[in-house]
Amino acid sequence: MKLYSYGTAPNPRKVVIFLAEKGLDYELVEVDMMKGEHKTPDFLKKNPSGKLPVLELDDGRCLAESIAICRYLEAVCPEPNLFGRDAFELGYIEMRNRQLETELWSQIGQSWVHGPVVAKMGIVKQIPEVKEASDVSVEKYYERIDKELAESEFVAGDRFTVADITLVTGIDFATTLVGLKPDDSLANLWRWHAQILSRDSVDDIVSPK
Ligand SMILES: N[C@@H](CCC(=O)N[C@@H](CS)C(=O)NCC(=O)O)C(=O)O
């Protein structure tokens, strides 16, 4: 299978980490978003949304949406389990992951879209007030996560799951490209972050060696 990706873009990175956790082989295909390669007619046949990542199976079928791709991979390769084993855990991990997507990633996304990097691309009307508000939401969410990680070793309990992948990729993107690094005082968050970065599956893009 092939994974269409771009550098350390955060949604493809989720799948790259997930594939590494599963120990699955694949071909990585770089799609240069700066050149608009994700919007060409050929690429839109793979994903009509024109976004990365896309997983292409050996028979040519394609899947987009990072978490949908991870669900597919969990189904074909159930171990190590990353989405939950029993009914409660399945629901709990889903809940934690959805909260991160809708309450943290959405706000990082607003700060990105209305921030300096996207401004230079000249593709979106900039609304500085949106960025001001979303920056505050992200900082508040970091504080919430820090408190939660004082009680819990990982995002969704006492073991590594897909929700940890969603959080680390969100935080690293916010830190490196959106100017939203979590404050150094958030000791539980940083303890968790160091632990996640020590995994073989996770490249350190925040302070690469
Ligand atoms: N919900 C999608 C989001 C995909 C997404 O927005 N990917 C970014 C890269 S991280 C992208 O392709 N952006 C280009 C665009 O939106 O045109 C997912 O989880 O895969």
Side-chain angles (χ1 to χ4, degrees):
M1 59 193 165
K2 291 181 187 164
L3 180 70
Y4 294 86
S5 179
Y6 177 64
T8 56
N11 286 295
R13 186 169 176 239
K14 279 187 221 159
V15 179
V16 167
I17 295 172
F18 201 93
L19 281 158
E21 286 286 335
K22 296 284 183 183
L24 290 167
D25 285 333
Y26 62 100
E27 181 187 340
L28 189 70
V29 182
E30 278 286 309
V31 177
D32 192 338
M33 289 203 294
M34 290 305 123
K35 291 187 182 155
E37 288 176 2
H38 56 314
K39 304 293 183 194
T40 63
D42 273 355
F43 193 82
L44 292 175
K45 283 186 202 148
K46 300 184 193 303
N47 178 12
S49 295
K51 291 178 193 288
L52 298 170
V54 168
L55 186 77
E56 186 172 55
L57 308 187
D58 292 343
D59 63 9
R61 287 180 298 168
C62 288
L63 284 171
E65 291 297 324
S66 52
I67 293 299
I69 294 170
C70 291
R71 284 199 178 279
Y72 165 81
L73 295 170
E74 178 102 339
V76 295
C77 179
E79 295 298 334
N81 175 283
L82 295 169
F83 274 98
R85 290 193 188 282
D86 59 28
F88 182 79
E89 212 195 14
L90 279 161
Y92 188 68
I93 294 168
E94 177 74 18
M95 176 191 86
R96 296 295 282 156
N97 201 61
R98 288 291 293 155
Q99 287 173 340
L100 290 172
E101 289 177 340
T102 56
E103 298 170 28
L104 179 63
W105 268 72
S106 66
Q107 298 304 297
I108 294 170
Q110 293 285 26
S111 294
W112 164 247
V113 166
H114 297 285
V117 179
V118 173
K120 276 191 206 132
M121 297 176 193
I123 48 173
V124 182
K125 180 175 158 40
Q126 297 289 300
I127 308 173
E129 293 79 11
V130 171
K131 177 165 162 49
E132 277 166 36
S134 52
D135 283 0
V136 171
S137 300
V138 170
E139 275 152 23
K140 285 209 174 112
Y141 207 88
Y142 286 162
E143 286 168 19
R144 165 182 163 180
I145 290 280
D146 183 68
K147 287 196 184 83
E148 290 171 346
L149 288 170
E151 308 292 325
S152 172
E153 191 176 352
F154 295 94
V155 173
D158 60 3
R159 71 184 182 91
F160 181 84
T161 68
V162 68
D164 295 286
I165 299 177
T166 297
L167 183 58
V168 77
T169 50
I171 286 180
D172 288 356
F173 173 62
T175 299
T176 53
L177 281 167
V178 195
L180 289 170
K181 182 177 180 233
D183 195 84
D184 287 345
S185 64
L186 302 176
N188 304 303
L189 187 155
W190 285 115
R191 181 272 304 155
W192 165 88
H193 190 264
Q195 193 175 351
I196 300 303
L197 260 61
S198 73
R199 300 180 76 84
D200 289 344
S201 62
V202 184
D203 272 348
D204 185 349
I205 65 160
V206 176
S207 49
K209 281 139 208 112

